[in-house]
């Protein structure tokens, strides 16, 4: 039985004011920490980040309006973005699915650029998500499910929550029970998913996309109506916004970039 409790409205979490406050905190943190080693998040001076920002604006424009390629080509502001999409083919016949896949390619490029010194890469998985630690001089791999943008953000949230020791373990050392788990298994699942999904929520909203929690138990044969999981995730996201110093370091880096790069034009 799927819970009938109405989910909280996640869309109101990252308001314009909250977005501004969070970005101000992250900017201040970057300027004060002399040993900040993740790279400067400066869209104006970093050529790669500027290109990624233009790409994102172009793709959002394509997704929201489905305007023709000719219009984009003649628009000076987005022309540069179109030309820089070397790996993404967007044309008059591109579908919403094509654009969504292009956005996923964009997210891969952004993460791999930001964390180039962390010996970790984000890659498309062919089936279920999985994390492979670094070995034999090869970087760690965060594989997300079926090329889905939301799955990528979810797996990135787990990477951000995992400490250095867990990053040495396959799948960060966590157990996973497939859909159809018992009530006890579901409770354990929800308990460990609160912080990752709260981060996923903030990443998603920073990209100006809608977010909803995933209890990942569609075939539960027990009453889930008492679950407070959605409310718990919402409260944790609120806590991160009220106390951004409690955000994991890599989450701060990624959030900072998404807030800067995915700003509206």
């Amino acid at each position: 039985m799927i819970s009938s409790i109405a989910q909280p409205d996640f869309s109101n979490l990252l308001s314009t004011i909250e977005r501004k406050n969070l970005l101000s905190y992250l900017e201040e943190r970057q300027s004060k920490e002399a040993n900040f080693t993740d790279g400067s998040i400066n869209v104006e001076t970093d050529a790669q980040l500027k290109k990624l920002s233009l790409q994102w604006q172009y793709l959002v424009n394509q997704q929201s309006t489905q305007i023709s390629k000719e219009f984009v080509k003649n628009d000076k502001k987005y022309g540069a973005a179109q030309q820089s999409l070397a790996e993404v083919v967007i044309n008059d016949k591109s579908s919403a699915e094509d654009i969504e896949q292009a956005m996923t390619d964009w997210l891969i490029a952004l993460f791999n650029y930001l964390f180039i010194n962390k010996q970790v890469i984000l890659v498309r998985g062919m089936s279920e998500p999985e994390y492979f630690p670094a070995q034999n001089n090869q970087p760690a791999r965060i594989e997300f499910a079926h090329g889905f943008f939301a799955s990528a953000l979810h797996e990135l949230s787990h990477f951000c929550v995992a400490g250095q020791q867990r990053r040495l373990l396959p799948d960060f050392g966590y157990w996973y029970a497939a859909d159809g788990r018992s009530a006890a298994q579901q409770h354990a699942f929800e308990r460990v998913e609160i912080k990752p999904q709260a981060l996923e929520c903030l990443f998603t909203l920073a990209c100006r996309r809608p977010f909803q929690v995933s209890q990942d138990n569609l075939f539960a044969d027990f009453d889930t109506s008492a679950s407070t999981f959605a409310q718990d995730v919402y409260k944790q996201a609120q806590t991160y916004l009220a106390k951004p110093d409690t955000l994991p370091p890599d989450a701060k880096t990624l959030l900072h970039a998404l807030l800067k790069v995915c700003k509206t034009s």
Side-chain angles (χ1 to χ4, degrees):
M1 181 185 298
I2 300 175
S3 173
S4 59
I5 295 178
Q7 292 189 1
D9 184 3
F10 288 94
S11 65
N12 66 20
L13 267 174
L14 201 58
S15 65
T16 300
I17 294 176
E18 292 287 0
R19 183 181 294 269
K20 181 178 180 180
N21 290 342
L22 180 57
L23 184 56
S24 294
Y25 165 81
L26 294 171
E27 294 282 3
E28 184 178 0
R29 165 189 176 257
Q30 178 172 303
S31 64
K32 284 186 175 181
E33 294 186 10
N35 295 324
F36 186 67
T37 58
D38 292 323
S40 175
I41 310 301
N42 192 323
V43 176
E44 289 72 28
T45 61
D46 189 304
Q48 180 64 12
L49 288 177
K50 186 173 183 179
K51 184 177 77 170
L52 287 165
S53 181
L54 286 169
Q55 288 179 354
W56 182 256
Q57 291 179 51
Y58 168 72
L59 290 170
V60 168
N61 189 288
Q62 285 282 319
Q63 185 182 58
S64 62
T65 67
Q66 294 292 311
I67 59 175
S68 69
K69 187 177 180 181
E70 279 304 310
F71 181 89
V72 175
K73 188 181 296 183
N74 292 331
D75 186 288
K76 293 181 180 180
K77 185 172 185 179
Y78 291 104
Q82 184 182 14
Q83 293 170 7
S84 64
L85 284 167
E87 300 84 12
V88 179
V89 177
I90 301 294
N91 54 48
D92 294 338
K93 297 181 180 179
S94 295
S95 65
E97 290 76 15
D98 293 329
I99 297 172
E100 182 71 7
Q101 288 299 301
M103 286 181 158
T104 304
D105 290 338
W106 174 91
L107 180 60
I108 292 171
L110 176 68
F111 178 84
N112 290 346
Y113 178 70
L114 289 174
F115 292 88
I116 191 170
N117 295 322
K118 288 277 188 175
Q119 292 299 300
V120 60
I121 56 174
L122 178 65
V123 297
R124 290 177 183 272
M126 299 303 294
S127 55
E128 294 306 307
E130 191 167 359
Y131 170 78
F132 300 90
Q135 60 179 346
N136 300 325
N137 296 318
Q138 295 298 312
R141 300 197 319 279
I142 305 169
E143 293 192 3
F144 59 97
H146 310 294
F148 295 147
F149 192 97
S151 177
L153 289 183
H154 183 80
E155 297 311 311
L156 291 181
S157 72
H158 276 289
F159 172 77
C160 290
V161 169
Q164 291 303 316
Q165 291 304 309
R166 283 197 175 276
R167 292 181 184 183
L168 300 176
L169 304 173
D171 268 347
F172 307 115
Y174 291 117
W175 64 271
Y176 180 77
D179 193 350
R181 58 183 75 95
S182 68
Q185 289 175 322
Q186 182 63 22
H187 178 71
F189 168 84
E190 292 181 3
R191 187 175 64 250
V192 300
E193 280 283 316
I194 293 172
K195 286 187 176 181
Q197 292 204 29
L199 287 182
E200 180 190 351
C201 171
L202 296 182
F203 295 156
T204 303
L205 296 178
C207 294
R208 301 180 184 275
R209 294 165 65 97
F211 169 80
Q212 63 179 31
V213 296
S214 172
Q215 290 177 279
D216 194 28
N217 205 21
L218 296 175
F219 302 106
D221 59 1
F222 54 89
D223 185 4
T224 63
S225 61
S227 173
T228 61
F229 182 57
Q231 290 79 6
D232 294 338
V233 171
Y234 186 89
K235 290 176 182 177
Q236 181 60 56
Q238 282 184 313
T239 299
Y240 280 141
L241 290 173
K243 301 177 180 179
D245 56 299
T246 62
L247 285 162
D250 288 334
K252 293 175 183 176
T253 298
L254 183 55
L255 261 179
H256 188 189
L258 291 173
L259 289 168
K260 291 284 284 186
V261 175
C262 297
K263 63 185 179 180
T264 55
S265 57

